[in-house]
Amino acid sequence: MAVKYKEIADRLECEIQEGKFDKTKKLPTEEELIKKFEVSRNTIRKAINQLVNRGYIYQVQGSGMFLREESVTDYINLGSLRGLTKDLTSKTIETKILALHVLEADEVNAKQMRCEVGTKLYYIKRLRIVDKEPFSIEISYFKKDIVPYLNEDIAASSIYSYLIEDLKLNIGFADKVINCEKIDEASAIELHVNPLDPALIIENTVCLSNGTIFELSKSVFHYQKAKILNRINFK
């Protein structure tokens, strides 16, 4: 089951995107949210922290929780595990499936995902297209015992919406590694750049809330189009 504070954060995020708070430019008070969702103050504060980390709001002590400008959503948010469809909300995003099949984990994947060699994994390779232009290539491995079913329809939309809303996975945390490499010829063709041009690489190791690794992914971004946002809060 999804954690309650994440469910509340998701509902508030939808309300923000729908413009419910555009007039006031701020969220209801903690007391109002406690009453609305019938949960504890601690749960509401955790939900608020989720929205802060996602880049939707900021807090002013004694004044309330205010909406940030919409432009901050047009970046790859390092504090988010929710994918391009949530990060680039003002853009038109399309997905081309380049590969989708089940394979057995080799020694390298087994070590990275802390599983036995031969463990069944879904392998997905996707080209993400933003505003009609190639934006990134995503290569992902999902443990089949945790994600028992994936098809092209799911992979062509938002995999994370499926994981959270349909499979009810309690996704906990991730390690992200960022580096730059010279792009290979095959990827250069897909992204419409020259071979050996630079590419921004983000690698994710994603865990459930109990610490179990269920996803390993690598995203190769068009170097002229990808911008990164990292939210830092000083307390």
Side-chain angles (χ1 to χ4, degrees):
M1 291 292 293
V3 176
K4 188 65 178 178
Y5 72 84
K6 290 183 180 178
E7 291 181 354
I8 293 170
D10 290 345
R11 285 181 59 183
L12 289 171
E13 179 182 346
C14 288
E15 291 180 356
I16 291 171
Q17 291 178 345
E18 291 167 357
K20 184 172 181 178
F21 310 111
D22 283 356
K23 184 176 291 186
T24 62
K25 297 297 182 182
K26 63 188 298 187
L27 293 188
T29 65
E30 281 189 3
E31 287 72 19
E32 290 170 327
L33 293 174
I34 289 168
K35 184 177 181 180
K36 175 179 179 178
F37 293 107
E38 299 180 336
V39 294
S40 69
R41 186 177 302 275
N42 186 52
T43 298
I44 289 298
R45 287 182 174 176
K46 286 183 177 180
I48 294 304
N49 284 337
Q50 288 274 306
L51 294 174
V52 170
N53 291 335
R54 294 177 192 178
Y56 284 103
I57 65 170
Y58 64 98
Q59 295 175 275
V60 178
Q61 187 172 2
S63 297
M65 299 167 287
F66 294 85
L67 271 60
R68 287 185 177 272
E69 295 297 324
E70 291 184 1
S71 62
V72 300
T73 63
D74 290 336
Y75 298 83
I76 302 162
N77 188 347
L78 290 183
S80 170
L81 296 174
R82 299 157 61 78
L84 290 183
T85 54
K86 293 293 185 180
D87 286 344
L88 307 181
T89 54
S90 69
K91 307 293 185 181
T92 299
I93 300 174
E94 303 170 76
T95 302
K96 178 181 177 182
I97 308 301
L98 304 178
L100 195 165
H101 56 266
V102 177
L103 50 74
E104 294 184 351
D106 58 21
E107 290 186 3
V108 174
N109 285 336
K111 182 178 180 180
Q112 291 174 319
M113 300 188 78
R114 299 179 197 159
C115 62
E116 298 293 330
V117 172
T119 297
K120 299 291 186 181
L121 307 174
Y122 270 108
Y123 171 83
I124 303 174
K125 184 176 182 180
R126 305 187 293 174
L127 175 67
R128 310 305 299 275
I129 301 163
V130 177
D131 288 346
K132 306 299 182 181
E133 296 290 336
F135 185 81
S136 65
I137 296 170
E138 297 178 359
I139 298 171
S140 302
Y141 298 87
F142 293 92
K143 286 181 179 174
K144 196 172 185 300
D145 61 342
I146 297 175
V147 184
Y149 181 72
L150 283 171
N151 62 18
E152 290 200 3
D153 287 340
I154 296 169
S157 56
S158 172
I159 292 178
Y160 265 69
S161 291
Y162 168 69
L163 299 180
I164 295 168
E165 296 170 12
D166 295 309
L167 296 187
K168 307 297 183 184
L169 293 186
N170 190 1
I171 299 170
F173 54 91
D175 290 331
K176 290 177 179 274
V177 177
I178 303 170
N179 70 298
C180 292
E181 299 175 2
K182 293 180 179 179
I183 199 167
D184 61 79
E185 185 171 354
S187 297
I189 292 172
E190 294 288 355
L191 291 179
H192 297 179
V193 297
N194 298 316
L196 302 183
D197 271 355
L200 174 67
I201 312 293
I202 299 181
E203 296 176 295
N204 291 315
T205 303
V206 191
C207 300
L208 301 177
S209 60
N210 64 8
T212 300
I213 296 172
F214 76 95
E215 179 196 1
L216 192 70
S217 69
K218 177 180 179 180
S219 296
V220 181
F221 293 92
H222 192 300
Y223 75 99
Q224 292 176 315
K225 297 174 181 176
K227 297 181 180 180
I228 294 177
L229 171 71
N230 188 23
R231 290 289 182 196
I232 301 174
N233 299 305
F234 293 92
K235 296 181 179 180

